Amino acid sequence: MPVVLWSLRRVAAALVTLLGVSVLIFASVRLMPGDYTDLVLGPLASEEQRAQAVAASGLDAPIVEQYFRWLFGVFTGDLGFSFVSNVSVSEEFAARLPVTATIAVVTIVATLLIGIPLGFLSALRSEGSAGAAGRLVSALGISIPEFLLAGVVVFAVSTLGLGISVGQYAPFAEDPGRFVGSLVLPIAVLSIGCVAVVARNTRDAVMNVLVEPHVQAAVARGEAAGFIVRHHVLRNAAAPILTVVGSLIAVLLGGTVIVEFVFNVPGMGSYLQTALGRRDYAIIQAAVMLAAAVFIITSLLVDLVANALDPRLRLTGRSRR
């Protein structure tokens, strides 16, 4: 029963956080400098034309009414229409979200398959060449910014003629080969930093567990190294590793904005960037709210799973962050 109550409190806290974030998003968008009517109608538009545009977009209503109207639309799946193009935001999200989701999911899978084994190897052989190689890879991956790495990759591909095209995106239904080819470089750029972070944190988590008394006792009893790793190290190191992987999902939401723009991929990131330039409130609010919801829900799930793996976290009322 205490576990259920703790879980319900965490869910309630996540919902309250999500509601508070919605208020901050709505207020921040309204406080952005500039006016979308200047971008849509131009500086020579008359006051009457501006007033008509504002009324057509519903911005003439009281700010509180605008907020609750938008919040009700979010819960009902009606994200409104673009103030600039008058296209349904929900339809645009449905077309672009799978692209960004594909990049994020493949990046996470690649990160897990490479980063965790690399971190384990670096920790278990910390004094050898494998450990040094793992530390070097992690340091380089963490140090190089995504925008710099993406720019270098675009320059190399464009000048060296490696047979890989940039900016040749096509929907999967039209050309599966071009779809996959257009996402290879963005995924590779994002994966480098994510693998480095996971490898570094996996190494630290495993090394912290290896010095625990129960692990030292298992070594003294002469238990096999594989048995010690499976039964003593994996579960105790899983919680901090899981927390890092969950946090990377939120990082990927920001990283996709950069790589989608650099590699000309029509996903959520490039869509949001265009909306910011146009002061298109409906798109900005919906996209940022979606990112916040993914981050909060992911954090909630990570806490629930981490505390299931390590009940000590629940007793202290905190998570390993």
Side-chain angles (χ1 to χ4, degrees):
M1 195 60 165
V3 177
V4 176
L5 293 177
W6 179 87
S7 301
L8 290 176
R9 285 198 298 267
R10 287 292 296 115
V11 173
L15 292 175
V16 172
T17 303
L18 197 58
L19 183 62
V21 168
S22 71
V23 175
L24 292 176
I25 291 172
F26 186 85
S28 300
V29 170
R30 291 301 187 276
L31 293 174
M32 290 176 61
D35 190 345
Y36 90 97
T37 56
D38 292 333
L39 299 173
V40 175
L41 302 178
L44 301 180
S46 65
E47 291 299 324
E48 182 180 356
Q49 290 174 321
R50 293 177 185 275
Q52 290 176 352
V54 170
S57 58
L59 296 177
D60 57 339
I63 192 69
V64 176
E65 179 183 339
Q66 293 182 42
Y67 169 73
F68 282 106
R69 186 193 306 155
W70 169 68
L71 189 64
F72 179 77
V74 170
F75 281 107
T76 58
D78 181 12
L79 302 178
F81 290 82
S82 167
F83 292 170
V84 178
S85 63
N86 201 33
V87 176
S88 172
V89 177
S90 299
E91 292 180 4
E92 287 287 346
F93 276 25
R96 296 172 179 270
L97 188 57
V99 178
T100 300
T102 300
I103 295 175
V105 170
V106 176
T107 299
I108 286 295
V109 172
T111 298
L112 295 177
L113 294 178
I114 300 174
I116 293 179
L118 185 62
F120 263 92
L121 185 63
S122 179
L124 297 176
R125 301 181 180 180
S126 58
E127 301 301 327
S129 59
R135 290 192 296 271
L136 177 62
V137 171
S138 298
L140 290 176
I142 294 173
S143 302
I144 302 176
E146 290 169 349
F147 69 89
L148 176 61
L149 181 59
V152 171
V153 169
V154 171
F155 175 79
V157 170
S158 302
T159 58
L160 299 180
L162 301 178
I164 303 176
S165 59
V166 177
Q168 300 296 320
Y169 173 83
F172 182 82
E174 295 181 7
D175 190 338
R178 283 181 59 187
F179 175 81
V180 174
S182 64
L183 300 186
V184 169
L185 293 179
I187 291 171
V189 169
L190 287 176
S191 297
I192 289 175
C194 292
V195 166
V197 172
V198 169
R200 171 68 64 84
N201 284 273
T202 299
R203 175 182 177 275
D204 294 343
V206 172
M207 293 190 71
N208 288 336
V209 174
L210 289 176
V211 298
E212 292 286 341
H214 68 280
V215 177
Q216 297 296 321
V219 174
R221 289 193 299 268
E223 296 180 2
F227 181 85
I228 293 174
V229 171
R230 290 192 305 271
H231 291 269
H232 298 291
V233 178
L234 279 177
R235 180 163 183 171
N236 289 281
I241 296 172
L242 179 64
T243 301
V244 172
V245 173
S247 301
L248 282 179
I249 296 178
V251 174
L252 283 176
L253 294 175
T256 55
V257 175
I258 298 173
V259 298
E260 286 178 3
F261 174 75
V262 173
F263 294 101
N264 194 26
V265 176
M268 291 294 298
S270 57
Y271 189 47
L272 174 59
Q273 186 176 47
T274 302
L276 286 168
R278 296 177 175 178
R279 301 298 186 268
D280 202 334
Y281 296 158
I283 299 174
I284 299 171
Q285 290 169 177
V288 178
M289 188 65 191
L290 175 63
V294 170
F295 176 74
I296 293 172
I297 293 173
T298 301
S299 298
L300 172 63
L301 294 176
V302 166
D303 276 350
L304 295 177
V305 175
N307 283 276
L309 293 173
D310 191 348
R312 294 174 298 176
L313 301 179
R314 184 172 62 252
L315 296 176
T316 58
R318 57 188 174 83
S319 59
R320 289 189 179 182
R321 278 189 173 81

